[in-house]
Amino acid sequence: HSQGLDSYRETLSALSNSSPSGNEEVITLFQTLHTFLKVKCSTLLDALNCDPQLACLQMDCWSIVFRLMEQNYQKQLPKADVLWKVFGDSALFARHVLLQIIDVLFSQLMGDGYGDAPRLTDQLFGRMRSLCRQIGRVVPILPELPNLLRNLPGQLWYKSLIYDQKENTIEKALHVSMLDPKVHHERFMIEGAEVVESTKENRRIDFYNKNLPRQEINAIWTTIGFFADASPIPSKKKEKMLAVFVQGLLQSKYGVLSTNTKNKGIPANDIHLDRCLHEIKWVCHLLSKSMLGELSFPANFVPGIVKKAILLESTSVILHMRPTAPQQKVDRFVTQLWKSSCLGSSDEVLGSLTFNSLLTQSRMDDAWCHAPSTNLAQACASLIEIYAVDASKRTTKAYWNNFSREVDKLASSLAAKAKEADMTVSTRPASTQTNGVGASFAHLFPELESFSEKDSVSSPAGAFLREAACFSLLACVIASTRSAAFIPTPIIALNKCFREKITNLSSDECMQEHHKYYQAKTGDAPKGTSNFNLLFVSSKVLSLTTLLHLSVTRENVERVGLDDDISMLEYLTFSIISNLSASIDNMKTLNLSIKETRNLFNSSISCNHVIKSTAMWLGLIFDRATMVIRNVPNENDKLRGLHAAIKKLAVSTCSSAIAVLTKALSVLFDTASTNKLGKSLNVDLALDKAFHCCLGAIRKVICLVHACREYSVGEESSVDAQCNMVSVFSEYQNFMALKVIPTTIGIKKSDAQDLCCRQSAGLLCVLAALCSTCSVPQTLYQDIFRQREKGDDSQLIQLLRATFSCELTRLATRGFSKCLDLAMQHFGDVLNDTIVSMFDYQSITSHPSSNTDLLLKLGGEISRRKGTDKLKKTSSTKADDFGYKEENFWSLCTDIGNLFHNWNPGDGRMDINQKIWINSVGRAIQSACAHICTNEDGDSPHATSAEKECDMRRELLRSIFTSMKQKNLSFGDLPGDSGSNVRSIFECIKRNVFFLSKTVSYYEEQLRWGCEDDDSIYKRAEIRAYEEAYVGFCASVLSDMLKENGRWVNIMKDVIVKILESPCVDRTEKEIILKLLSRVFEEYSHNGLGSVQTFVEVYCAILHTLKTCLCDLFAARSGNDAIKHIFSCALHIVKLQGKTTPNDKSTHAAYINAFTNWLNICGMLMQEEDLVPEMCREVATRNNSIRGSDPLSPKFTILGEAFQSLRKHEDTLFLRAVNPYAKQRVPSNAGQRLGQNLKLSHSCLKTVKNFTDEFGTSKSV
């Protein structure tokens, strides 16, 4: 048997690739196919039951027949022959095959009703789909489908034709089917006539008397879906049968939209809703593919379906008004909206609004879709939209008017049901206690009280019904943009009546009163609603309606029926702002709650979501308005009216929008700080996302203000006067000065501080953007960026101010005049903030270290390999966000250069010398950045490692110093403030060394606690590599500064050297300072400079500090490196003062000579390793000065005498008047302490010896 099938398979394969060339070949080909079907085959289900491979061959044979029919080869068959009777009528043969395919599909769908029917494999299912596609090319399937389904007989047991010829496997001789193989196959192959008799007794649908069981309905829908998907060729015939058949299915007694009164009041379950969703989607699919032919439904049919479906879902006990888009898409959109900022429109980021994508989430690529809140509601809105498009294209105007009236009735009916649902909820009695705790024990379980409270979140049913009512009307408006034949009606058009209807449908009476207050701004503000679901729905519907107005084009302006009311956008936007304000009031109330209940958590989550979504939609509205005013030409009256409406929107709503959004930021801050569940609410950064939405919306409002100023020539004063931006700026400034900044820099840790730290850049960038809209106080920097309390973080204040200056400068260089004026009023602060950014340690550590040798030395091969891998993964970054960040430091430098170089006040407000200095600094920065860009071969500098970034910053500063010096100017001195920039640099280095030392100490502490895993070892090695790079960078810069002006060493002494004598400073920080000073003086002394005796008293003070560090316990605790750096620093200072003559009577010079002599003796002594044990015994046995009479240690005597001589010079040196360090006297037991500190291992002494060998040991040093 298998060999025979293989032979037939080969034959069919050959036939499938053949094309008959003559009449005889055609007859032979059909004869061969007929023989195979007649002899080897049966009905498809019979063949599938017996041998699936035979079923595949049978479908292949049918496919060849239909391929031949597609080319009309059957017309060449002789008319009287049996071949003509079987194959001559393609429609008849198609019905013969389709009935068998339906029989197979029902066997898979009806379960036990078909006995033990075999399951279809993927191969068989694929063959069946291919066969249907081939049939569809010859005969339209869908118009034939209703007759086939309506006349289906019931299933019975039938004897197999295939196993009737065999004597084996008798159990397969019978099977369940709707078709008798002997009649439907054998007789058809002989007589070629349709032999299935359709009688009332054997028809399935007539048997059930229109009460089809649910299983039958599901099977029929699935069958329709299979053929619609497998053969989606629209019918050219204007058939009504499929439309009527679909209508009957939807309204069947046991259908999902049945009018059966017995089910009234029973909540719908998920299975019921899911089935309804699938059926409506199939109707949408059939309509969209024009498979239902000419529209034959009554005008109220589709609205009736939608009403039943919406009412069905409104009874669901698990209905949730959820976000339309997935959360990750919302997060991505929030980021896009923020990054589009104040620079023109974000159209290139968000794309233009496409009407096709507004109703169904499946079509959306971005999160700003305004689709209905549930999948079934989306499907219903799509059904109305698709049907409206077809109705406008194919039917009479009267039918379209009737349909639009029916949709209006549907909206009104759903709104009435919503009111009933709201009244039912409001009159529901309060729930009783459900916990089992008695009254006498209730105080022991206060946490159980939450379960006895009435749920404060309103039922979503009313809001859901209102949303569906609005989307029914909006779907028709969207349909008008897709059909060129669309004719607007008074009911379906973007006119005042439509806007009022949408507003009233989407809000209850309480909300409508609140809307009127915001539109009129008179009297006391009424209380807003606490129905979060309705606030969410109303904002979404109103924002979609607003965007539909803003998306009108020249092509569709007539079809959508846009009127010329210039207050159209103002009316809708004020309603949205009113909803946001009501949500803020609700959140304020929740923040005052003193009970940590489940209802508080749910209500707070819901309210935060409403605030976030409403702010996001407001941002999109203002962004779209900006795009229209800048890019859409107002070439006809309608579009000119739209432009006028946008300008009126800017004048009337911008200040209100910013004020309410500022209040939203404030209440979100309060939620994090005062809400009992603030920490739980922000587990997934929900508050942060709401913050970002509000900040992005404010920036979009500012965009519109600037756009209207730009395109309203001669009307700027009117816009400025009515926008009242000064007032809203004051509110935002107070919010920053009183809440955000104090919390961010405060010593008290809290959830609100964490929130402010994460959002500080965005908040400050919005503050800078607001500065572009109005004149701001000249004391702004002082008001915002100042220490409020003693424990405030001064380093963080500097970084926050740098963030603000960065954004202010960026805006100033892009044409915002008010930002330019503010930046130049505070040019010293802006320049200082640039310096802060330049020396920011954290920005350098954002790059990987390339010092793999040090990683290998400190962390082994694993650390070196990790560092190499990290270095390979790095890539150049671009500045694509706002505020100071490590990746846009170079953009900041470029902006500062352009700002300073091009600045020309021209009104005599600034001294000419100051202007020259500012322009020169700008030019120097410009040239330096351009030079670095040329070397880096790119548009902007970019570093691949921390070391390279340090080199680039070092080169930047060197270029600036050199360029300024060529013009006989000094970068270190601001005009009228000598040394101010230098002091800023020293202070920045001091602060960053402090934070660097904390990081180093943290990882060293880990080592002491035994953290020896690979990651910990690598982190410790990496931080040491960063320390090496940063110290080298700072040392090089400080050395360059001393070379430019030696007097700046005095500032370095006061700011940096002073740290070494403070007992409160961490040991690690002192070690890093010593290393820094050592490198500074090493590089400075190697430059070949002569004596700097003008500042000799400063160097004496530094030497005194170094001696103090050597004589106390700091050096002993710190080990070899500290000793090395102390000696190195002292030796380099001595070398720097090397030209001081011994005959010089100056007390400072005498001190330098005494220090040189003492230092040389220390160096010689430590080279004598044999004396170390003697020195240790001497110190251990004698409790006096190291100077003694022991003849075995004459060099100790010399050392002690030198030390006493140094001490006498310090006593006579008049440093107290100029050096505060001299107030601290050398202790009497300094010699003994020196001996203790010299009790070092031989390896330590070798380290110092090797280092001192570089300078020699003669007294001339």
Side-chain angles (χ1 to χ4, degrees), residues 897-962:
N898 294 334
L899 177 67
F900 282 10
H901 179 248
N902 298 324
W903 183 67
N904 184 17
D907 55 2
R909 289 178 298 173
M910 183 171 288
D911 180 71
I912 185 64
N913 293 327
Q914 196 175 45
K915 177 184 180 302
I916 293 174
W917 189 91
I918 292 173
N919 293 152
S920 300
V921 168
R923 180 58 184 163
I925 296 175
Q926 273 185 334
S927 301
C929 290
H931 177 67
I932 294 174
C933 288
T934 303
N935 292 343
E936 296 298 323
D937 192 23
D939 296 333
S940 61
H942 60 271
T944 55
S945 67
E947 288 74 14
K948 185 176 181 181
E949 179 70 16
C950 288
D951 291 341
M952 290 162 54
R953 297 189 183 194
R954 181 186 301 116
E955 183 179 353
L956 172 66
L957 274 170
R958 281 178 176 171
S959 299
I960 295 173
F961 281 129
T962 303

Side-chain angles (χ1 to χ4, degrees), residues 9 103 228 629 1039 1078:
R9 187 178 294 108
D103 191 23
I629 203 73
S1039 176
S1078 172

Side-chain angles (χ1 to χ4, degrees), residues 444-482:
L444 300 177
F445 304 96
E447 68 275 6
L448 294 180
E449 292 180 9
S450 61
F451 296 98
S452 64
E453 295 179 356
K454 184 179 177 180
D455 193 358
S456 61
V457 179
S458 303
S459 170
F464 174 70
L465 291 169
R466 291 181 181 277
E467 179 189 58
C470 294
F471 272 98
S472 300
L473 296 172
L474 290 170
C476 292
V477 175
I478 294 172
S480 68
T481 66
R482 300 178 55 195

Side-chain angles (χ1 to χ4, degrees), residues 47 73 93 147 195 233 244 250 254 347 350 427 682 744 872 938 985 1012 1047 1125 1191 1198 1243:
Y73 281 115
F93 189 77
N147 279 332
V195 293
I233 307 299
V244 174
L250 290 171
Y254 297 106
D347 196 53
L350 302 176
T427 56
N682 209 29
T744 306
K872 290 178 180 177
I985 291 175
E1012 293 294 335
R1047 64 182 172 85
H1125 294 315
I1198 299 173
S1243 60

Side-chain angles (χ1 to χ4, degrees), residues 848-850 852 855 861-875 944 1018 1022:
S849 174
S850 61
T852 53
L855 293 177
E861 179 60 28
I862 294 178
S863 295
R864 186 198 65 80
R865 193 182 309 117
K866 284 189 174 185
T868 303
D869 293 341
K870 191 174 180 180
L871 199 61
K872 290 178 180 177
K873 294 177 182 178
T874 187
S875 60
T944 55
Y1018 169 68
E1022 184 184 44

Side-chain angles (χ1 to χ4, degrees), residues 191-333:
E191 300 177 4
E194 192 170 10
V195 293
V196 177
E197 297 181 0
S198 177
T199 63
K200 188 173 182 180
E201 288 74 18
N202 68 353
R203 282 200 297 261
R204 305 172 71 92
I205 292 181
D206 290 338
F207 173 78
Y208 289 116
N209 193 23
K210 296 186 179 180
N211 295 327
L212 285 174
R214 187 65 238 174
Q215 190 177 25
E216 288 276 340
I217 296 176
N218 291 343
I220 292 174
W221 273 114
T222 305
T223 302
I224 294 174
F226 172 79
F227 285 112
D229 184 56
S231 181
I233 307 299
S235 171
K236 295 181 181 179
K237 298 181 181 180
K238 296 182 178 181
E239 298 287 351
K240 298 182 179 180
M241 294 187 63
L242 184 57
V244 174
F245 188 77
V246 168
Q247 183 178 349
L249 280 178
L250 290 171
Q251 296 180 335
S252 173
K253 184 176 181 181
Y254 297 106
V256 290
L257 300 177
S258 170
T259 55
N260 191 351
T261 56
K262 294 181 180 180
N263 298 332
K264 189 174 182 180
I266 300 177
N269 58 46
D270 282 349
I271 298 175
H272 194 173
L273 295 173
D274 185 66
R275 194 68 253 169
C276 182
L277 171 64
H278 280 78
E279 293 185 10
I280 290 181
K281 280 187 174 181
W282 277 123
V283 177
C284 290
H285 182 68
L286 295 173
L287 283 170
S288 63
K289 299 297 182 180
S290 302
M291 295 174 182
L292 295 181
E294 183 70 26
L295 291 171
S296 56
F297 296 138
N300 63 349
F301 174 68
V302 168
I305 291 177
V306 170
K307 180 178 179 180
K308 291 178 181 178
I310 295 298
L311 291 178
L312 177 70
E313 188 167 22
S314 69
T315 63
S316 172
V317 294
I318 56 172
L319 176 66
H320 297 291
M321 305 300 290
R322 57 188 181 278
T324 303
Q327 188 59 49
Q328 59 269 26
K329 286 190 174 183
V330 174
D331 299 342
R332 184 179 67 185
F333 168 73

Side-chain angles (χ1 to χ4, degrees), residues 94-115:
R95 285 196 296 271
H96 167 74
V97 174
L98 289 173
L99 275 173
Q100 297 183 55
I101 294 175
I102 293 172
D103 191 23
V104 172
L105 292 174
F106 267 65
S107 72
Q108 307 298 304
L109 299 169
M110 296 300 292
D112 294 339
Y114 267 75

